[in-house]
């Protein structure tokens, strides 16, 4: 849905309503991700390792944020903002593909408290 929202925003970049709707869909996806990620983390990661494992993802995430910011700056200078949106949509698509491929391996995990 996040990728679709960004692509819709690209396709209708002149429409403010579409851009706001795409932003709201993107924010809803990010909000749902946080709730789902914490539930999955509670199922898979032992309590005493959660802080260490949670910090492992911060470096790649910060790298993607820096990359997105640099792309946005360069795109604004050259008037090619659609390329920055396309790059971010590609990152969301790659993250979804990785998430779906990793989710198949958790089928036998015991659920605690859900």
């Amino acid at each position: 849905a996040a990728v679709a929202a960004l692509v819709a925003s690209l396709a209708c970049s002149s429409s403010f309503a579409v851009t706001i709707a795409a932003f709201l869909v993107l924010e809803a996806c990010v909000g749902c991700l946080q709730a789902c990620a914490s539930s999955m983390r509670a199922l898979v990661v032992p309590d005493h390792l959660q802080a260490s494992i949670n910090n492992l993802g911060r470096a790649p995430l910060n790298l993607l944020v820096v990359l997105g910011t640099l792309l946005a700056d360069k795109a604004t200078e050259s008037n090619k903002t659609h390329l920055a949106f396309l790059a971010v949509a590609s990152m969301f698509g790659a993250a979804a593909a990785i998430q779906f491929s990793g989710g198949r391996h958790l089928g036998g995990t015991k659920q605690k408290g859900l």
Side-chain angles (χ1 to χ4, degrees):
V3 174
L6 287 173
V7 170
S9 179
L10 279 172
C12 303
S13 60
S14 61
S15 171
F16 181 73
V18 172
T19 302
I20 287 293
F23 172 74
L24 293 175
V25 168
L26 177 65
E27 286 298 314
C29 290
V30 171
C32 290
L33 170 74
Q34 296 301 323
C36 293
S38 64
S39 296
M40 290 298 294
R41 194 169 32 249
L43 290 174
V44 176
V45 180
D47 291 337
H48 66 282
L49 295 176
Q50 281 195 13
S52 299
I53 291 175
N54 289 346
N55 285 329
L56 291 176
R58 291 185 186 206
L61 177 63
N62 288 337
L63 182 64
L64 289 175
V65 168
V66 169
L67 178 64
T69 304
L70 289 173
L71 283 172
D73 286 344
K74 295 293 183 190
T76 304
E77 291 172 4
S78 62
N79 201 16
K80 295 183 180 180
T81 53
H82 64 282
L83 293 177
F85 275 96
L86 190 59
V88 173
S90 299
M91 289 182 216
F92 274 116
I98 292 168
Q99 180 69 31
F100 286 129
S101 69
R104 290 182 281 149
H105 303 294
L106 300 175
T109 306
K110 286 185 182 178
Q111 292 187 2
K112 53 181 182 181
L114 288 181

